[in-house]
């Protein structure tokens, strides 16, 4: 009962979309928000590691649409945790001490990660449990960079279902989305700028209490106003076909 009360409170959060899941799929998007945080100063300390404040355009929309499409296909909700706050105030894909410079920012960072931890803990014992962390990149328009900390965030026996031609990424390639590394070269080294951030590493398979975690850095062609729903439908279909076991 206490847990339910806490969850209802979380759901009222204007700065973070939090949906309780019925499937062992955890969808996260930390960088697509635009809202300011009351009483929170802008991040300015460029000496902190990996200091970035740019918006991941439409990554929030793609994550939310994917959750909606997956519910349409399965009749069940995935976990959904999406930042509506701007990365100019809090970067939830960094450790607490690097992601914000104030107490009010830290409180928001903690709420994001309390929700993620709850989702991962609830999913861990289920077959096919997967955290999918949505980002946007401006490097290559018609490409999605896969980030798994060079496979460390995935269990070895899950590669077939997730990133090889028989799996989730293989199905998405056949649906017309391009990936780097390609499914046929699943063991190729990942792009060093897009090889999985703090969320992927913290909740991924090689960490304590982790699950399979996959970061996707999506190019503009796949997340524009005209294409975002189509991409979400393809991702949801591939999750249903290749990742979910029940
Ligand atoms: Zn990002």
């Amino acid at each position: 009962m206490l847990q339910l009360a806490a969850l209802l409170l979380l759901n009222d959060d204007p700065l973070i979309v939090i949906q309780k899941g019925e499937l062992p799929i955890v969808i996260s998007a930390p960088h697509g928000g635009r809202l300011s945080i009351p009483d929170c100063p802008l991040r300015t300390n460029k000496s902190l590691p990996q200091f970035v404040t740019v918006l991941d355009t439409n990554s929030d929309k793609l994550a939310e649409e994917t959750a909606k499409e997956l519910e349409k296909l399965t009749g069940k909700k995935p976990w959904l945790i999406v930042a509506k706050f701007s990365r100019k105030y809090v970067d939830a894909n960094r450790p607490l001490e690097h992601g914000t410079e104030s107490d009010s920012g830290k409180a928001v960072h903690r709420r994001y990660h309390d929700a993620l931890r709850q989702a991962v803990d609830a999913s861990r014992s289920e077959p096919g449990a997967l955290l999918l962390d949505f980002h946007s990149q401006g490097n290559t328009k018609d490409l999605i960079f896969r980030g798994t900390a060079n496979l460390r965030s995935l269990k070895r026996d899950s590669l077939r279902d997730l990133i090889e031609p028989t799996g989730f990424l293989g199905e998405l390639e056949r649906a017309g989305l391009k990936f780097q590394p390609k499914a046929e070269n699943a063991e190729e080294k990942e792009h060093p700028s897009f090889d999985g951030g703090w969320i992927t590493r913290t909740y991924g398979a090689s960490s304590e209490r982790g699950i399979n975690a996959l970061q996707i850095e999506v190019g503009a062609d796949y997340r524009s106003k005209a294409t975002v729903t189509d991409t979400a439908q393809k991702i949801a279909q591939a999750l249903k076909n290749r990742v979910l076991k029940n």
Side-chain angles (χ1 to χ4, degrees):
M1 195 64 209
L2 254 180
Q3 217 178 12
L4 183 66
L7 199 68
L8 287 173
L9 273 179
L10 285 170
N11 273 329
D12 284 339
D13 197 325
L15 295 172
I16 310 172
V17 172
I18 298 172
Q19 171 176 285
K20 186 181 184 337
E22 304 154 308
L23 296 170
I25 302 291
V26 182
I27 293 174
S28 157
H31 292 159
R34 295 168 185 267
L35 298 180
S36 58
I37 298 173
D39 306 318
C40 182
L42 290 165
R43 297 166 59 220
T44 55
N45 187 353
K46 293 187 175 140
S47 68
L48 289 171
Q50 294 186 289
F51 181 89
V52 181
T53 59
V54 295
L55 175 73
D56 280 8
T57 307
N58 264 0
S59 58
D60 56 337
K61 176 103 172 132
L62 182 57
E64 289 174 79
E65 294 245 340
T66 299
K68 214 189 303 171
E69 294 297 333
L70 189 57
E71 186 178 354
K72 269 194 222 166
L73 286 173
T74 64
K76 292 181 181 172
K77 294 179 197 299
W79 291 86
L80 179 67
I81 297 118
V82 176
K84 289 294 158 188
F85 57 85
S86 164
R87 192 185 194 182
K88 291 178 186 165
Y89 299 88
V90 172
D91 190 336
N93 198 27
R94 301 286 183 270
L96 181 70
E97 61 275 18
H98 300 158
T100 186
E101 296 166 26
S102 69
D103 287 344
S104 53
K106 281 180 182 165
V108 173
H109 188 286
R110 284 197 185 97
R111 293 209 296 277
Y112 194 95
H113 284 281
D114 286 350
L116 256 188
R117 174 48 71 196
Q118 184 182 8
V120 169
D121 281 351
S123 304
R124 195 169 45 244
S125 61
E126 305 278 330
L130 175 68
L131 165 63
L132 200 52
D133 196 34
F134 283 72
H135 295 260
S136 302
Q137 49 80 16
N139 178 297
T140 310
K141 284 184 171 183
D142 63 341
L143 199 56
I144 299 175
F145 289 94
R146 182 202 84 192
T148 65
N150 287 306
L151 306 182
R152 285 198 299 280
S153 68
L154 302 178
K155 292 177 194 145
R156 201 70 210 174
D157 63 4
S158 302
L159 302 189
R160 281 178 59 86
D161 290 343
L162 293 175
I163 59 167
E164 293 182 0
T166 45
F168 174 60
L169 257 60
E171 177 163 331
L172 287 173
E173 284 180 340
R174 288 188 291 280
L177 305 182
K178 288 198 263 174
F179 280 87
Q180 184 179 317
K182 294 185 175 79
E184 64 179 14
N185 299 323
E187 311 239 355
E188 187 183 291
K189 227 174 164 34
E190 292 165 346
H191 190 297
S193 303
F194 307 118
D195 61 355
W198 190 69
I199 287 176
T200 308
R201 288 155 203 263
T202 300
Y203 301 99
S206 65
S207 69
E208 206 188 330
R209 296 161 71 205
I211 60 174
N212 285 322
L214 193 56
Q215 175 177 294
I216 53 170
E217 290 268 4
V218 180
D221 285 359
Y222 302 138
R223 54 175 165 79
S224 70
K225 219 173 167 185
T227 59
V228 67
T229 302
D230 181 60
T231 303
Q233 284 169 347
K234 287 170 177 168
I235 295 172
Q237 191 69 58
L239 285 170
K240 177 175 184 278
N241 292 349
R242 307 286 164 171
V243 181
L244 288 170
K245 302 292 178 195
N246 297 313

